[in-house]
Amino acid sequence: MGNKAFSYFLPRLCVILFVILCVGLLACNTPEGDPDTWDTARPLHDIYRNNFLVGNIVRDTNCFNHATRSGILRRHYNTVTAENHMKPDFIAPSSRPANDTWVYRFSSADTIVNAALNAGMKVVGHTLVWHSQTPAWLTRQNNGSPLDKDTALANLEKYVTEVVTHFKGRLIEWDVANEIFRDGLSGTDTIDWRNALRMNDSGWNTAIGPEYVELAFYYARLADPEVKLIYNDYSLNNEFKARAVYNMVKDINARYPNVMGRPLIDGIGMQSHHRIFTIPRSVEDSIVLFSSLGVEIAITELDITAAGRLLDQSNPPPWNETAAQRQAEQYAAMFKIFLKYQSHINRVTFWGLDDGTHWRTLDGSGAHGTLLDRNFNLKPAFFAVMNPYGF
Ligand code: XIL
């Protein structure tokens, strides 16, 4: 009888113990028991594969050779923007060319673009006309005064045409014009978008006048009719700046409704350098406004400053658990909005792989704006982006 009970219970006991062991092991595999690392977490681009592209930036030309950064980039992102290497100060001849043959410096950009394409990623061009990171000779004389209009126009046409042609067939979109509007706009400034443009600090506007904007788009379209042409700017959750952009895109597309098959401006890039205080509703309002134009919206440079002097110059808040949690909630709030308007949003690109190489770390702001800390550990923000509704 004793033996019979033993042989009856022992196998059952073993099964029960085995089940308990399995449940225990599974529980250990949840984020709480054994936190995901960048190389085990489900790829972000896969999570959003039915919603939008998910991108990040390449800071160094050798990024694809750096085991960890290249691993993070390839695993989680399907789209790449060069953080600096496709800007005019990296590509245009560094001094005024002596003749009509301009010697461009494409090699760093080509290294990045080709490495990204070889890794099966899509690539965004950033940027063609900008008041910053642009050699002065394109728009100014040696003494700093503006070039005469015809010379500046010739430079604009030549630069945009030759650069877009060089990358033709390799990019999905170009940020054609970047940050053309000034800060601190009022409602009346935006009625005619031309009155909202940067003035003296924009070489192109000073030498050519407001028509430089549509001409840049026009030359880009002629050089590569396939690539999407984007207008890109920051603080687009500011209602006045949003209104200036809206009026500009509406006006230019009304006057150029069919340039090689479609309106001239394909989309609006919302840089999205946010803070933990940014009011998500202000972002949503601008997305609704831009959607009404029927153009695509791209989130082009997303980061969320969570600590440091950018939040408060005199009393910079520290980076701690509370800040990390607040930042994660803000990322979740933004992604809920992006998902709500996913039919208008084709891409969400983050501006930084990790806090250690984030531009706001390198400029000493202590912002901690990205999803990974400087040791490449996943921050709460990463989990918020993985699952914004469950966060
Ligand atoms: C920043 C880069 O991240 C820095 O490395 C560089 O020193 C300055 O430019 N808006 C833009 C980006 O369109 O090109 C800027 O990138 C950030 C703000």
Side-chain angles (χ1 to χ4, degrees), residues 57 59 82-84 87 126-127 130 132-133 175 178-179 232-234 271 273 300-301 351 357-360 362:
I57 50 175
R59 183 171 184 84
E83 183 174 3
N84 287 300
K87 294 173 178 174
H126 173 78
T127 178
W130 194 17
S132 178
Q133 292 188 266
D175 293 336
N178 197 31
E179 305 180 353
N232 194 50
D233 211 333
Y234 63 91
Q271 290 186 5
H273 295 294
T300 53
E301 306 184 13
W351 205 250
T357 56
H358 186 224
W359 67 307
R360 293 304 201 188
L362 298 166

Side-chain angles (χ1 to χ4, degrees), residues 13 55 57 124 142 160 199 244 264 270 272 355 388:
L13 189 66
I57 50 175
V124 175
N142 292 342
V160 171
M199 311 295 262
L264 190 53
M270 303 176 73
S272 310
D355 284 350

Side-chain angles (χ1 to χ4, degrees), residues 1-15 17:
M1 189 67 184
N3 260 353
K4 243 184 160 181
F6 187 71
S7 61
Y8 177 81
F9 283 115
L10 186 64
R12 283 164 177 76
L13 189 66
C14 286
V15 170
L17 285 175

Side-chain angles (χ1 to χ4, degrees), residues 30-41:
T30 62
E32 267 171 356
D34 175 16
D36 280 333
T37 52
W38 67 261
D39 51 345
T40 62

Side-chain angles (χ1 to χ4, degrees), residues 255-276:
R255 288 186 290 111
Y256 296 83
N258 187 355
V259 183
M260 307 192 83
R262 62 190 196 278
L264 190 53
I265 301 181
D266 291 303
I268 296 174
M270 303 176 73
Q271 290 186 5
S272 310
H273 295 294
H274 292 307
R275 294 163 190 235
I276 49 176

Side-chain angles (χ1 to χ4, degrees), residues 113-299:
V113 171
N114 293 339
L117 292 175
N118 286 336
M121 306 173 91
K122 298 182 190 304
V123 188
V124 175
H126 173 78
T127 178
L128 294 168
V129 291
W130 194 17
H131 65 285
S132 178
Q133 292 188 266
T134 298
W137 66 262
L138 277 163
T139 60
R140 294 185 194 278
Q141 303 176 39
N142 292 342
N143 66 9
S145 55
L147 288 179
D148 66 89
K149 187 168 174 174
D150 284 349
T151 309
L153 276 171
N155 285 351
L156 179 75
E157 178 171 8
K158 189 169 173 66
Y159 183 75
V160 171
T161 304
E162 294 186 344
V163 173
V164 172
T165 301
H166 177 81
F167 292 103
K168 186 173 177 175
R170 292 189 285 166
L171 309 181
I172 55 165
E173 47 199 42
W174 261 112
D175 293 336
V176 174
N178 197 31
E179 305 180 353
I180 66 173
F181 294 109
R182 59 180 189 273
D183 294 314
L185 295 171
S186 70
T188 42
D189 291 333
T190 67
I191 296 169
D192 182 345
W193 61 269
R194 295 167 185 82
N195 295 332
L197 291 172
R198 287 174 190 276
M199 311 295 262
N200 296 336
D201 61 338
S202 163
W204 292 116
N205 193 27
T206 314
I208 297 174
E211 68 191 279
Y212 88 88
V213 181
E214 63 212 65
L215 289 174
F217 279 92
Y218 188 76
Y219 299 140
R221 174 63 50 78
L222 295 193
D224 181 354
E226 303 290 318
V227 72
K228 286 182 190 157
L229 306 181
I230 304 292
Y231 175 69
N232 194 50
D233 211 333
Y234 63 91
S235 296
L236 292 190
N237 59 320
N238 172 292
E239 62 172 304
F240 301 122
K241 214 168 191 192
R243 184 55 66 176
V245 170
Y246 171 90
N247 286 342
M248 182 268 289
V249 173
K250 193 173 177 183
D251 171 50
I252 291 181
N253 278 353
R255 288 186 290 111
Y256 296 83
N258 187 355
V259 183
M260 307 192 83
R262 62 190 196 278
L264 190 53
I265 301 181
D266 291 303
I268 296 174
M270 303 176 73
Q271 290 186 5
S272 310
H273 295 294
H274 292 307
R275 294 163 190 235
I276 49 176
F277 312 130
T278 302
I279 297 166
R281 183 60 209 246
S282 66
V283 173
E284 180 167 2
D285 287 347
S286 293
I287 291 177
V288 169
L289 180 70
F290 297 151
S291 305
S292 71
L293 289 166
V295 296
E296 276 187 17
I297 296 170
I299 306 299

